[in-house]
Amino acid sequence: MAPDVFPVYVLMLVIILTLTTVAIVVRIVSSPLSNVFQKQLTQRAAEPLFVSSATYGFLSVLTISFWPELNLSNLPADFWLSVLIFNLIGVLGNVLLVKAIRTGELSVLGPINAYKSVVSIVFGILLLNEIPSWMGVMGVALIVAGSYVVLDSGQRGRGFSFDILKQPEIQFRLIALVCSAIEAVFIKRAMVLSSPMTTFILWCVLGFVFSFSWVILTLRRRWKEQIAVFSTEKGTYAALFVSAGLMQFSTNTAFGGMQVGYVLALFQTSALLNVLFGYQFFKEKNIVQKLIGAAIMVTGAVLIVVFK
């Protein structure tokens, strides 16, 4: 390598690392913020499916102007299969997440996302014959212990019980995190075969197509009602659109600059913000206990992702 070329590579590496770091920070903050706006809207009669579809729709309007710049003709079939999978699963997961947030507490549902790391271990054992390390096992134990602390805060001292799984908001959140984990894998796969921008635009546009089709099938009799809520809550919807767009674009950017496992580990710290935002915006109780439990779960998730 020529001497004058080396500084250019160093500069490029610094720029990539800086962009990745900024993207991770933006993702950590924007994700719980979008949860706040989703909960506020659903508390004001907005349907989770309509909220999700409106978000995809707004982002599609913003990104559709870039469509002519995309080179879609030479992309392989594996790319389009990945796009189809992550859009279908992503729309389902997003709607279920909003349904969970509507009735559940952010300070409980946020930390539960750490179970995504446990899901990855289970799939690794069943499908890939990947046996976790001792650090991975310790991470699972910490997540279970942390969830005991978090869930105990809202269970009148009963602690963790499988009866919790009967609560709809917990069921929706668990299914949503499984969808999110699968979606992340196929988003990364699509990005490898194309680019972060191409993947993001298709996430927006096809996500709107799928979610709006769902709206037509199930909410056509409540269309006027939801439009009225949208008109009344334009400010909150706008805040959701911005935070959701930043969340997904920063996620794709982070995936492009770092291994998915390490990125997902860093994303877990947003659970702490979920707890704080739950207290700040919705006056949820037992904040200190939930912060302790969330911190334990975040630590477990990091151990799993980094050392499994």
Side-chain angles (χ1 to χ4, degrees):
M1 182 183 298
D4 57 339
V5 176
F6 182 73
V8 176
Y9 279 91
V10 172
L11 178 60
M12 291 176 61
L13 178 61
V14 170
I15 292 174
I16 291 173
L17 291 176
T18 301
L19 289 175
T20 303
T21 301
V22 171
I24 290 172
V25 173
V26 170
R27 169 58 168 73
I28 289 172
V29 176
S30 60
S31 178
L33 272 178
S34 67
N35 293 158
V36 169
F37 301 133
Q38 288 165 338
K39 187 172 182 67
Q40 288 176 336
L41 287 169
T42 54
Q43 287 182 333
R44 299 163 189 170
E47 281 293 324
L49 175 56
F50 187 88
V51 170
S52 180
S53 185
T55 304
Y56 282 116
F58 178 81
L59 295 176
S60 296
V61 170
L62 289 184
T63 58
I64 198 67
S65 60
F66 295 97
W67 191 274
E69 307 295 327
L70 303 181
N71 183 15
L72 303 178
S73 58
N74 297 323
L75 293 172
D78 283 348
F79 169 79
W80 292 109
L81 178 61
S82 297
V83 168
L84 178 64
I85 292 174
F86 77 62
N87 272 290
L88 287 173
I89 292 178
V91 167
L92 174 62
N94 196 31
V95 172
L96 291 177
L97 172 61
V98 180
K99 288 178 70 69
I101 289 171
R102 176 168 58 177
T103 55
E105 294 185 341
L106 289 184
S107 52
V108 172
L109 298 177
I112 283 178
N113 193 52
Y115 271 97
K116 187 186 297 182
S117 302
V118 180
V119 171
S120 69
I121 278 191
V122 173
F123 276 107
I125 293 174
L126 296 178
L127 302 179
L128 303 174
N129 199 29
E130 293 180 347
I131 307 302
S133 66
W134 283 108
M135 296 297 282
V137 174
M138 184 180 297
V140 173
L142 285 174
I143 288 175
V144 173
S147 66
Y148 182 94
V149 176
V150 171
L151 295 172
D152 179 64
S153 65
Q155 296 296 312
R156 297 184 177 88
R158 288 180 291 167
F160 181 84
S161 168
F162 283 108
D163 287 341
I164 292 173
L165 299 179
K166 297 178 182 179
Q167 298 179 12
E169 65 271 21
I170 301 297
Q171 294 174 350
F172 291 147
R173 186 65 187 95
L174 290 174
I175 298 172
L177 74 84
V178 173
C179 291
S180 177
I182 297 173
E183 180 191 22
V185 172
F186 284 96
I187 285 177
K188 177 66 175 183
R189 185 179 179 188
M191 286 172 51
V192 170
L193 297 171
S194 59
S195 70
M197 179 58 75
T198 299
T199 305
F200 176 67
I201 292 175
L202 290 174
W203 179 87
C204 296
V205 175
L206 294 183
F208 175 64
V209 171
F210 293 149
S211 61
F212 188 69
S213 300
W214 193 354
V215 168
I216 292 174
L217 290 174
T218 61
L219 290 180
R220 56 185 181 275
R221 296 181 179 177
R222 304 184 59 187
W223 184 259
K224 292 182 179 179
E225 170 195 322
Q226 291 303 303
I227 292 296
V229 175
F230 181 88
S231 179
T232 303
E233 302 295 336
K234 290 189 294 291
T236 307
Y237 264 107
L240 171 60
F241 297 158
V242 172
S243 61
L246 287 173
M247 177 186 68
Q248 191 59 41
F249 186 74
S250 61
T251 299
N252 288 15
T253 303
F255 284 168
M258 189 181 293
Q259 292 184 20
V260 173
Y262 295 112
V263 172
L264 291 177
L266 292 170
F267 285 174
Q268 300 304 320
T269 56
S270 64
L272 299 172
L273 287 181
N274 273 113
V275 176
L276 292 174
F277 288 169
Y279 171 77
Q280 178 65 34
F281 293 99
F282 305 105
K283 307 305 177 185
E284 295 173 3
K285 306 299 184 182
N286 301 320
I287 186 69
V288 174
Q289 182 175 346
K290 290 174 180 175
L291 278 174
I292 293 172
I296 295 172
M297 296 181 75
V298 167
T299 302
V302 171
L303 289 178
I304 289 174
V305 174
V306 176
F307 296 106
K308 73 175 182 179

